[in-house]
Amino acid sequence: MPKPILTHSYCADFYADHGYQFLKTLSQTHTIPDNLVIFSVMHSYEGSLPYINVLAELADKLVFIPKDATLGATPGLLTTISTIPHCHVVSTQNNKAYLRNPAHCEAMIRQYIDVETPFLILDHGGYFSYAISHICETFQEQCIGITELTANGLQKYLDKPLSKPLVSVSHLSIKMPADFEASECIVHYSDQILREEFGLKINNSGFLKTGVIGAGNLGRGVIKHLKAKGITNIHVADFDPRKLTQFPRDGIKACSINHLVEHCNMLFCCTGNQSITPEMIDNLSQPMFISTVTSADDELHLPDLLANDVLTEVHSNALTKEYKNKQGHSVYLLAGGESANTPFKTGMGDPTLYLFEAAHMLAGLKLLDNPHQFKRGIQALSEKDEMMIAEQWLKHFYHYA
């Protein structure tokens, strides 16, 4: 077997190989059907290469669907990914918006299968959610099941009738370390973009008042890293008031989303589910800086805001997009509205990313090995499987005994 392609430009071979060996060892414990096709939605990070290689070795074809957020930031990486044996990079037109159309989604799948090909969908962010009922019905004998990596992606599947099992790994405890790692990157790179584009420091309280919408893993992580930068006057809001009860004792202002948007001008949107409404945009009385942990599509429903003239784009570059509301107040989307770490070379910071990749892969392997152990509809990976992944990860990277 040829040596796997684990690096593109800058990552250490040692580190990438260490992650590859961990995922490879885990993958060898399950039976894989012949002629399997895996459709995998994934970020175009260099740090994803070990995982992509392992999936490509499992499948007869791995169909790689790059997420919109990192598609433009790393065009050369797609060329590298396309050279991995058995890996097929889809046309860049097959993005999230394209796959929302069931007919388009079906046509994309048919490009890579024949009438007897079994296939598995490893989703990330609900790319297949809009068409999934049609796909399950159309490919009843071939579609083995779906796995979903993220909480905001799972949210998009909740109201869809599913005739196949969907195994979610979005709320596993072993995802928490990677979520906190991501939140550190998002705070760091938001600060870097503010410095580069506006000459502002994120902890300059004379100019910026900071608010965090969403008190899940990522929101709490953002707050932790904001505090580490010396920011003390932080507002936090969430749709679920129960999640806010932990903050007042730490000197953090718990408030409604409306109050937060009214009083803060540096927002971290951490819900993945329209944290800011068109009415809030209309009522802005000052310029606003926004950093998201998912995308402006998820957090603001940006295409609708533009289509309905709630916002008008006036300027953009590699790091920032500026829009104006009807009153002429600017809305600055850091990283163009994508997660603030996506314009940079991230994904190899530490081995926590292999925890959630292992869970995502294992959910698919369990479906392939014995799909009858799962019922139709949404379910979580078992606690036993999660503990096994944690133990193997600790042994592999930290000599846990």
Side-chain angles (χ1 to χ4, degrees):
M1 181 177 293
K3 184 177 180 180
I5 302 168
L6 300 179
T7 59
H8 170 65
S9 62
Y10 76 105
C11 294
D13 285 330
F14 164 78
Y15 186 87
D17 185 66
H18 221 44
Y20 167 79
Q21 295 299 337
F22 167 67
L23 295 170
K24 182 68 174 176
T25 300
L26 191 66
S27 75
Q28 291 173 331
T29 59
H30 291 79
T31 304
I32 308 299
D34 293 336
N35 302 317
L36 174 69
V37 174
I38 297 176
F39 294 92
S40 178
V41 180
M42 204 181 304
H43 275 301
S44 297
Y45 287 144
E46 185 158 354
S48 303
L49 284 171
Y51 184 38
I52 296 169
N53 273 268
V54 172
L55 292 181
E57 291 168 5
L58 288 171
D60 185 62
K61 293 178 186 174
L62 172 65
V63 181
F64 179 83
I65 303 165
K67 284 179 70 66
D68 294 8
T70 45
L71 181 60
T74 55
L77 183 56
L78 291 182
T79 302
T80 298
I81 293 171
S82 67
T83 64
I84 296 172
H86 308 293
C87 188
H88 304 258
V89 178
V90 302
S91 166
T92 54
Q93 72 173 6
N94 292 310
N95 58 11
K96 179 163 54 176
Y98 183 85
L99 293 176
R100 285 176 177 171
N101 183 308
H104 291 168
C105 192
E106 177 187 342
M108 189 273 292
I109 290 173
R110 289 194 185 278
Q111 290 180 45
Y112 299 99
I113 68 170
D114 58 35
V115 293
E116 296 183 352
T117 305
F119 68 87
L120 178 70
I121 297 173
L122 304 183
D123 205 353
H124 182 167
Y127 272 49
F128 283 86
S129 61
Y130 299 91
I132 196 61
S133 298
H134 175 74
I135 296 307
C136 290
E137 181 179 345
T138 303
F139 301 104
Q140 184 66 35
E141 300 301 320
Q142 295 169 272
C143 180
I144 296 168
I146 311 102
T147 71
E148 172 54 53
L149 183 64
T150 66
N152 70 298
L154 180 63
Q155 187 76 24
K156 296 169 186 174
Y157 280 102
L158 291 181
D159 62 346
K160 307 297 191 297
L162 295 171
S163 60
K164 294 290 182 178
L166 185 153
V167 183
S168 167
V169 299
S170 62
H171 291 95
L172 300 182
S173 62
I174 58 173
K175 271 197 87 237
M176 290 178 62
D179 285 342
F180 276 90
E181 170 72 11
S183 65
E184 180 182 21
C185 287
I186 288 162
V187 171
H188 173 76
Y189 288 119
S190 295
D191 188 20
Q192 183 170 334
I193 292 170
L194 286 169
R195 290 169 185 255
E196 180 72 21
E197 293 289 291
F198 305 98
L200 285 171
K201 292 176 64 178
I202 200 169
N203 59 359
N204 190 326
S205 60
F207 292 95
L208 298 176
K209 299 292 187 292
T210 304
V212 178
I213 305 176
N217 289 345
L218 285 161
R220 293 196 306 273
V222 165
I223 289 171
K224 172 187 174 182
H225 295 297
L226 289 170
K227 291 178 71 175
K229 286 185 174 290
I231 301 171
T232 56
N233 184 20
I234 302 172
H235 290 59
V236 60
D238 195 278
F239 298 114
D240 184 348
R242 294 173 299 178
K243 294 182 180 179
L244 300 177
T245 57
Q246 62 188 293
F247 294 107
R249 66 184 179 86
D250 292 326
I252 298 166
K253 173 68 175 178
C255 60
S256 69
I257 295 176
N258 282 325
H259 180 91
L260 185 149
V261 174
E262 182 180 346
H263 288 84
C264 300
N265 62 351
M266 175 67 236
L267 303 187
F268 287 87
C269 298
C270 308
T271 71
N273 187 26
Q274 197 173 17
S275 52
I276 301 176
T277 65
E279 292 74 24
M280 295 176 192
I281 298 290
D282 281 337
N283 293 328
L284 289 179
S285 59
Q286 60 181 330
M288 184 71 71
F289 301 90
I290 297 176
S291 183
T292 81
V293 304
T294 54
S295 71
D297 184 9
D298 292 332
E299 295 286 4
L300 284 74
H301 292 189
L302 182 62
D304 293 339
L305 296 180
L306 296 174
N308 296 321
D309 297 322
V310 177
L311 286 177
T312 303
E313 185 172 351
V314 296
H315 177 76
S316 67
N317 59 27
L319 296 180
T320 307
K321 287 186 178 180
E322 180 186 0
Y323 302 84
K324 287 191 182 293
N325 71 357
K326 294 173 184 176
Q327 283 71 43
H329 295 294
S330 291
V331 175
Y332 299 99
L333 299 185
L334 306 189
E338 302 296 342
S339 181
N341 56 342
T342 56
F344 302 94
K345 291 178 177 178
T346 58
M348 295 293 282
D350 70 4
T352 56
L353 82 153
Y354 298 119
L355 279 167
F356 66 78
E357 288 177 343
H360 200 206
M361 180 181 70
L362 183 63
L365 290 171
K366 302 284 280 189
L367 281 168
L368 295 171
D369 214 8
N370 184 10
H372 301 295
Q373 68 181 301
F374 297 95
K375 62 183 186 296
R376 67 172 59 185
I378 297 170
Q379 55 240 273
L381 191 68
S382 73
E383 186 177 280
K384 179 181 177 181
D385 288 327
E386 183 181 10
M387 291 178 67
M388 182 273 291
I389 291 170
E391 182 176 11
Q392 295 303 316
W393 182 84
L394 288 167
K395 286 179 178 178
H396 187 84
F397 290 101
Y398 295 107
H399 311 294
Y400 171 79

